[in-house]
Amino acid sequence: MFKWISVLLVIFLTMIIAHGENSVVLTQKTAPLKITKYEAKFQDEIRGSYVSHPDQVSHTVTCQNISGKVIVAYQIGLVAFDAFNSLMGKFNGWAIKDIPVDGNGDGTWEQRPYAAFSFEKFGTGVAYVNAVRFEDGAIWRADIAEVLIELQKFEKDLKKEDLQEKKTP
C-alpha cells in the first residue's frame, strides 16, 4: 500500500513540475552578481477591492554579491518567451539597495506583456545580470552581444534591438 502511494505521489509531483513554466539563468563569467535562485511564473488576473492586476508574468530573483566590493544598485535583465518560444518582452528589474560583499539581494518584478496567458505552463523566463553600480561609483554592464547569443537559443531571429528596454513617458 505504501509503495502505491509513493508511486502516485511521484507521478503527481512529476506532472506538476513537468507542466510548470521554465526559468533559466544565463551564466555570465564576469558578472559581479551571481543569480542563485530565479522563478518565472504566470499569474492570473485578479480583481479585488484592495489588490488588482491583469494577467502577468512574475519574476522572482535572489542573487549574491561575488565582486569583493559593496554594491549599491543593480539591474536584472528579465525576458519572457511564450509557449512557442516567441519573444513576449524584455525589461530590467531595478533595485537601489546595498548588498555587502558576499551578501544577498532579492526582488520580485511583474511583467504585463500582450497575451500574457501564452506564458502559462510552457513559457520560458530568462534572467541575467544587466548592470551593477558599486559603492565607489564604478559601473559594470553586461556584454549584450553575449546575452543575445544565449537568448537566440530560444528565438533564433532575435536581434539586439529587441533587447532594448522600451521607455515610455
Side-chain angles (χ1 to χ4, degrees), residues 78-82 84-90 111 113 151 154-155 158-159 161-163 166:
L78 300 163
V79 186
F81 295 94
D82 67 15
F84 300 99
N85 282 347
S86 294
L87 179 68
M88 297 178 75
K90 183 267 180 196
Q111 182 179 18
L151 292 175
F154 300 97
E155 185 178 343
L158 203 62
K159 298 175 184 66
E161 297 78 39
D162 296 325
L163 300 181
K166 311 299 185 262

Side-chain angles (χ1 to χ4, degrees), residues 26 142-152 160 163-164:
L26 296 188
D143 179 349
I144 296 302
E146 179 183 306
V147 170
L148 180 62
I149 289 168
E150 292 299 312
L151 292 175
Q152 286 173 334
K160 186 177 179 181
L163 300 181
Q164 301 302 316

